[in-house]
Amino acid sequence: MATIPWLVDVLRGAGVQVVVEGDWLNRMRPGDFNPIGVLWHHTAATSSATNPHPALNVCINGRSDLPGPLCQALVDYHGVFHVISAGRCNHAGVSGGSGPIPAGDGNTLMIGWEIDYNGVSQQMTAAQYNASIAATAAVLKRLGRDASYARGHRETSTTGKIDPSFIDLDKMRSDVAAKMAGGTAWSSVVDNSTAGRFTASSSWGTSTYSGQRYGADYRFADPVAASDAAWYKFNVPATANYRVDAWWPANAGYNAATPYIVATTTGNRTIIVDQRATGGQWRTLGTFTLPAGDANRVAVSRWSSASGLVIADAVRLTRV
Ligand SMILES: [Zn+2]
């Protein structure tokens, strides 16, 4: 196989929004291209709603030290796939081997998505994640490969690449597998910094103190016997069961009995966690039935019986 001229049709067939970037059918690097898998990257550029694809130009044209194109498609802040190339691109370098992807020439072996977010103080948007899952599932189906052929650059790199950041790649593969099975995979993360999706009163301070934080910072407040919760808003796609995970930085001075509230179809449920321990990772609060719609679904309450700061960092919903 020398090119993948079917890419745009396959993406559109999967419901992925596509922008064709110029002469994508003839823009490629010389050399072999016989892809068996899909590789996820982040660009390290800071994207936003008003600047959704800051790395698009460099992905098309390359850099002084690396000629373009640098990926088959760039995934912008809104989850739109900008299709750049139907052929070989300089995205993967040498593969050290990962899962079923052998060691060898990564640019021959894999199709690359450059997902446009900075990966240090900015995570992938929900739109980017969901579109990348749908696109990866559709492309692997077209290649006749299963979800294990979806990898992250940090898994195949021989030079210490860290991308894509803030993504659990085993979970990514299970979401791709569910999508390929015709399932209803859906997952969304809301961080305290996610625009329009996190609400807290001015009584909640902002801190970058703990290196276990998710994203750039987190919020904190003293416990108080009053209703002053920090809320996380999610656009839940269907009334169904969702696993709720929370992420907090842990510290001996934080709260031993922090209430998380989950707004389910049968009312609010409260889960108490110890924020002195098990920080810097996703912790499962439980699986709950949530109603469809865009609304506040999870909260961190200050109404704790314990002393120590209550922390509000990130929350993840995953349809199960
Ligand atoms: Zn990369």
Side-chain angles (χ1 to χ4, degrees), residues 264-285:
T264 76
T265 53
T266 53
N268 286 355
R269 299 275 303 279
T270 300
I271 304 93
I272 305 293
V273 307
D274 183 352
Q275 293 186 321
R276 298 173 304 177
T278 60
Q281 57 190 293
W282 289 113
R283 302 293 299 179
T284 297
L285 304 183

Side-chain angles (χ1 to χ4, degrees), residues 239-250:
T239 300
N241 291 328
Y242 296 85
R243 188 181 71 243
V244 180
D245 301 312
W247 181 301
W248 60 85

Side-chain angles (χ1 to χ4, degrees), residues 59-81:
C59 284
I60 293 172
N61 297 309
R63 311 185 301 252
S64 57
D65 61 330
L66 189 66
L70 302 185
C71 58
Q72 279 74 22
L74 175 134
V75 188
D76 79 17
Y77 183 87
H78 302 294
V80 175
F81 267 64

Side-chain angles (χ1 to χ4, degrees), residues 39-43 91-92 113-114 152-154 161-164:
L39 195 64
W40 287 30
H41 306 260
H42 72 235
T43 61
H91 68 98
W113 309 147
E114 282 286 356
H153 197 190
R154 66 175 186 257
K161 298 289 185 181
I162 63 162
D163 58 316

Side-chain angles (χ1 to χ4, degrees), residues 186-261:
W186 179 87
S187 186
S188 183
V189 173
V190 174
D191 186 28
N192 62 287
S193 63
T194 305
R197 302 217 155 261
F198 177 87
T199 313
S201 78
S202 58
S203 304
W204 291 78
T206 301
S207 179
T208 59
Y209 175 76
S210 174
Q212 293 183 345
R213 65 186 180 270
Y214 187 100
D217 53 27
Y218 54 96
R219 303 289 291 268
F220 66 94
D222 285 314
V224 63
S227 183
D228 183 30
W231 280 96
Y232 298 80
K233 183 181 183 186
F234 288 89
N235 193 1
V236 174
T239 300
N241 291 328
Y242 296 85
R243 188 181 71 243
V244 180
D245 301 312
W247 181 301
W248 60 85
N251 184 283
Y254 293 167
N255 198 281
T258 300
Y260 279 80
I261 299 165

Side-chain angles (χ1 to χ4, degrees), residues 36 138-146 149 180:
I36 61 172
V139 166
L140 289 177
K141 202 171 257 190
R142 180 66 174 73
L143 292 174
R145 305 287 177 171
D146 66 34
Y149 288 79
M180 291 177 78

